[in-house]
């Protein structure tokens, strides 16, 4: 497996990146839901909740893939 500039293999780095961005976005979407509800836009709040759930599922899938990659070797730590 190729190792990128971070010291992590590329696939592990990519999964961590997607997981991070999905979790970060999920945090931000909570505010978007509140904003939409405060504006009386329940349909938009529902849309943001759907997007938040999709990102949550995406982060969980990344976590599962990372767990699988860590199976016989430790691909979740920087490589020497």
């Amino acid at each position: 497996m190729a190792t990128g500039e971070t010291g992590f293999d590329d696939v592990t780095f990519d999964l961590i990146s997607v997981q991070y961005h999905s979790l970060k976005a999920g945090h931000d979407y909570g505010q978007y839901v509140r904003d939409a509800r405060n504006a009386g836009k329940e349909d938009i709040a529902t849309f943001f909740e759907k997007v938040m759930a999709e990102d949550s599922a995406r982060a969980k899938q990344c976590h599962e893939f990372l767990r699988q990659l860590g199976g016989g070797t430790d691909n979740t730590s920087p490589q020497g």
Side-chain angles (χ1 to χ4, degrees):
M1 230 180 243
T3 301
E5 295 177 20
T6 63
F8 288 91
D9 69 85
D10 291 340
V11 172
T12 298
F13 178 85
D14 296 346
L15 285 167
I16 290 169
S17 180
V18 169
Q19 185 179 42
Y20 168 80
H21 290 289
S22 295
L23 292 170
K24 172 71 171 95
H27 178 268
D28 295 342
Y29 295 147
Q31 182 61 51
Y32 302 167
V33 170
R34 288 187 295 278
D35 291 346
R37 287 220 165 96
N38 289 340
K41 304 293 185 183
E42 190 59 36
D43 56 337
I44 296 173
T46 300
F47 167 75
F48 287 137
E49 287 174 329
K50 179 183 175 218
V51 172
M52 187 167 39
E54 291 168 354
D55 268 332
S56 178
R58 191 172 294 112
K60 287 177 187 175
Q61 183 65 59
C62 287
H63 186 77
E64 178 58 27
F65 283 136
L66 288 165
R67 188 188 66 71
Q68 290 172 15
L69 287 174
T73 59
D74 184 9
N75 290 327
T76 60
S77 299
Q79 299 175 1

